[in-house]
Amino acid sequence: MAKDKVEFVCSECGDSFAKWSGQCSSCKSWNCMSEVEVVSSSSGGASGGRFAGYAGEQIKVVALGEVEATQESQQSTGIGEVDRVLGGGLIQGSVVLIGGDPGIGKSTLLLQIMAKLSMSMEALYVTGEESLKQIAMRSKRLEVDSAKLNLLTETQAEKIIATSQKLKPKVMVVDSIQTIYTEELTSAPGSVAQVRESTARLVRYAKQTGTAIFLVGHVTKDGSLAGPRVLEHMVDTVLYFEGESGSRYRVIRAIKNRFGAVNELGVFAMTESGLKEISNPSAIFLAGHETPVAGTVTLVTKEGTRPLLVELQALVDESHLSNPRRVAVGLEQNRLAMLLAVLHRHSGVVTHDQDIFVNVVGGVKVVEPAADLAIILSIISSLKDRPTPDGTVVFGEIGLVGEVRPIPGGEERLREAAKLGFSRAIIPKANRPKKAIKGIEVIAVSRLSEAIAALF
Ligand code: TYD
Ligand code: MG
């Protein structure tokens, strides 16, 4: 093996550096740097030595106009919600990374997908984690017809590729990438170097042969395995499982997609016989209280292309700490701090002596700023111990000067809320629909103080 140099890679964010340090200067995590040998291109590695060997070769430059831009055909996976997050379906030669906590349902979902695909094409499921028997048992439990699905237990990348070259599958699963190693490197499977190098080999194989590959990546909090983030830039599509393992619902979010919209969500329920898709998920994340309770607000969020109603809950409680707690679950922590500052400056609501917890019910993550208004109103509701009126939905972004800013897709959100029987909406002025939407009264506000006055 030609070893030209080493670099240091952060196992959290995947950034690489020439020098080791205790803290990653990109993502600020601690103790996450590991040494990686840079394999030269002559030995077949993917990273490093990029310019070696090209000196005398003729490299052809092509004008963009001459490149055929035919839409690559998308193959349905047979599961609508998976097609949705993939941006329509599976594309030949694409590499899809599916990440998530252990036990959340990655192998289950992939076995369901592969069983469906194996009926119409050659499919190979490579596992480095489970025995063939375990997979057979799971397949029985899932009640899928997987008789034609090819299985392989193997962990060496070269052998996987060699087998695949013989079998020529159209679609392949590698479960999980952290168990795979390449003999090129001496480091242990699961290390950053191994995970990156094995992935590079599989990606190259996918591009050369047009095989679609699903890679499974475990997310481990303690960093004992190189996380899937290290691979995000190498693959075409990155899907993450969200949701609490205690809850029945599983949400898959497209974090990156070269073939479709990001932040698109697919919603599933984990049942006795595998993951069942929920193609109309608008209301499943609502808690449904019998009588109105203080501290909850219904938000219409729009992740990807579909509006979704979720319940935000806040608990504001007198604090005995010098540094009161601010905990955001499913929401951004920094955003919460900013909103509390706006609330203080522009509405005079004091919270510096209170612990504040906010949570999105059902384990969904809400990343868009359209949740701002709902977060603030749920906090005020809890602080004043006054429930928000029944049948009310809220959305809108809050600016630093206390203004309520418009957000994309206002009308669609209102329609979805009206469809589910909500009768009142507090929304940004600029989002007021031109024509009234049947069944829903719109209260359009331009300042945070107006929204508070309208509700309480
Ligand atoms: P699994 O797909 O093995 O998780 P991962 O590959 O992400 O680690 O997930 C399994 C969990 O789901 C496990 O705790 C059992 C549960 N499960 C069901 O509830 N129903 C089912 O039909 C199957 C196959 C698993
Ligand atoms: Mg698994």
Side-chain angles (χ1 to χ4, degrees), residues 10 17 39 80 107 127 130 144 167 191 201 213 267 292 345 372 447:
C10 168
F17 305 90
V39 182
S107 307
T127 176
E130 291 160 308
V144 289
L167 187 71
S191 65
R201 262 152 228 263
I213 299 184
V267 185
R345 264 306 295 277
D372 290 355
R447 309 270 322 154

Side-chain angles (χ1 to χ4, degrees), residues 106-107 129-130 138 175 218:
K106 302 180 293 295
S107 307
E129 303 209 323
E130 291 160 308
R138 179 178 293 138
D175 185 0
H218 292 296

Side-chain angles (χ1 to χ4, degrees), residues 49-207:
R50 289 181 189 94
F51 305 110
Y54 289 142
E57 283 174 32
Q58 281 285 319
I59 299 172
K60 198 166 163 247
V61 178
V62 184
L64 182 56
E66 289 166 28
V67 183
E68 248 186 288
T70 46
Q71 177 66 36
E72 282 168 272
S73 67
Q74 294 188 314
Q75 165 81 36
S76 167
T77 57
I79 302 178
E81 290 294 287
V82 175
D83 290 346
R84 165 185 280 277
V85 283
L86 287 175
L90 195 57
I91 290 186
Q92 264 190 15
S94 67
V95 181
V96 180
L97 174 68
I98 299 195
D101 296 333
I104 196 135
K106 302 180 293 295
S107 307
T108 305
L109 180 69
L110 284 174
L111 189 57
Q112 288 178 270
I113 295 174
M114 292 299 269
K116 287 232 165 75
L117 288 176
S118 68
M119 294 203 238
S120 60
M121 60 176 74
E122 202 69 49
L124 175 63
Y125 192 110
V126 183
T127 176
E129 303 209 323
E130 291 160 308
S131 66
L132 297 181
K133 222 181 190 154
Q134 280 172 305
I135 296 184
M137 272 161 55
R138 179 178 293 138
S139 133
K140 209 164 155 199
R141 184 169 173 193
L142 296 174
E143 293 163 10
V144 289
D145 181 11
S146 49
K148 285 209 200 116
L149 178 61
N150 300 294
L151 298 181
L152 171 68
T153 47
E154 180 55 64
T155 50
Q156 192 188 320
E158 286 79 9
K159 283 190 190 150
I160 293 172
I161 290 173
T163 312
S164 176
Q165 267 158 348
K166 264 189 243 136
L167 187 71
K168 298 195 170 47
K170 283 258 176 291
V171 55
M172 179 159 107
V173 163
V174 177
D175 185 0
S176 68
I177 190 65
Q178 283 123 339
T179 57
I180 309 298
Y181 71 98
T182 157
E183 55 180 1
E184 201 74 50
L185 300 175
T186 48
S187 44
S191 65
V192 173
Q194 283 289 7
V195 166
R196 285 212 312 182
E197 204 50 44
S198 308
T199 305
R201 262 152 228 263
L202 290 165
V203 169
R204 190 144 19 92
Y205 172 76
K207 302 296 166 201

Side-chain angles (χ1 to χ4, degrees), residues 90-413:
L90 195 57
I91 290 186
Q92 264 190 15
S94 67
V95 181
V96 180
L97 174 68
I98 299 195
D101 296 333
I104 196 135
K106 302 180 293 295
S107 307
T108 305
L109 180 69
L110 284 174
L111 189 57
Q112 288 178 270
I113 295 174
M114 292 299 269
K116 287 232 165 75
L117 288 176
S118 68
M119 294 203 238
S120 60
M121 60 176 74
E122 202 69 49
L124 175 63
Y125 192 110
V126 183
T127 176
E129 303 209 323
E130 291 160 308
S131 66
L132 297 181
K133 222 181 190 154
Q134 280 172 305
I135 296 184
M137 272 161 55
R138 179 178 293 138
S139 133
K140 209 164 155 199
R141 184 169 173 193
L142 296 174
E143 293 163 10
V144 289
D145 181 11
S146 49
K148 285 209 200 116
L149 178 61
N150 300 294
L151 298 181
L152 171 68
T153 47
E154 180 55 64
T155 50
Q156 192 188 320
E158 286 79 9
K159 283 190 190 150
I160 293 172
I161 290 173
T163 312
S164 176
Q165 267 158 348
K166 264 189 243 136
L167 187 71
K168 298 195 170 47
K170 283 258 176 291
V171 55
M172 179 159 107
V173 163
V174 177
D175 185 0
S176 68
I177 190 65
Q178 283 123 339
T179 57
I180 309 298
Y181 71 98
T182 157
E183 55 180 1
E184 201 74 50
L185 300 175
T186 48
S187 44
S191 65
V192 173
Q194 283 289 7
V195 166
R196 285 212 312 182
E197 204 50 44
S198 308
T199 305
R201 262 152 228 263
L202 290 165
V203 169
R204 190 144 19 92
Y205 172 76
K207 302 296 166 201
Q208 280 165 356
T209 59
T211 315
I213 299 184
F214 285 101
L215 299 177
V216 173
H218 292 296
V219 175
T220 50
K221 300 271 165 355
D222 59 356
S224 53
L225 291 174
R229 301 213 53 186
V230 173
L231 306 176
E232 282 177 1
H233 65 281
M234 300 168 76
V235 300
D236 298 305
T237 303
V238 180
L239 309 179
Y240 276 106
F241 264 94
E242 289 172 8
E244 298 143 358
S245 45
S247 138
R248 215 159 81 76
Y249 297 112
R250 301 281 184 274
V251 176
I252 299 179
R253 185 189 296 270
I255 297 293
K256 159 181 173 179
N257 195 350
R258 288 186 181 150
F259 311 111
V262 286
N263 279 336
E264 193 69 80
L265 299 183
V267 185
F268 297 85
M270 181 59 97
T271 66
E272 273 306 298
S273 53
L275 287 160
K276 293 275 179 303
E277 57 181 322
I278 298 179
S279 35
N280 188 9
S282 340
I284 58 166
F285 296 110
L286 296 181
H289 305 282
E290 275 165 20
T291 49
V293 284
T296 78
V297 168
T298 307
L299 161 74
V300 194
T301 170
K302 187 163 170 269
E303 304 281 3
T305 55
R306 182 167 58 184
L308 191 69
L309 276 82
V310 291
E311 182 177 325
L312 292 194
Q313 297 190 335
L315 177 66
V316 180
D317 189 26
E318 193 185 323
S319 177
H320 298 286
L321 303 168
S322 53
N323 243 339
R325 307 194 62 184
R326 271 97 184 85
V327 181
V329 183
L331 297 161
E332 247 184 281
Q333 192 82 30
N334 290 340
R335 199 95 200 156
L336 174 61
M338 186 198 92
L339 292 173
L340 290 175
V342 174
L343 187 60
H344 180 216
R345 264 306 295 277
H346 296 286
S347 298
V349 178
V350 178
T351 56
H352 63 75
D353 51 355
Q354 307 282 338
D355 286 331
I356 296 178
F357 306 87
V358 268
N359 174 35
V360 186
V361 172
V364 227
K365 273 202 193 90
V366 179
V367 286
E368 56 163 8
D372 290 355
L373 190 56
I375 297 175
I376 287 208
L377 292 176
S378 68
I379 289 170
I380 296 177
S381 165
S382 174
L383 186 70
K384 290 186 188 284
D385 202 19
R386 298 253 307 266
T388 53
D390 225 8
T392 307
V393 292
V394 172
F395 57 81
E397 181 178 346
I398 305 267
L400 284 181
V401 294
E403 84 278 26
V404 179
R405 302 160 62 98
I407 48 146
E411 252 188 83
E412 240 177 294
R413 296 182 202 235

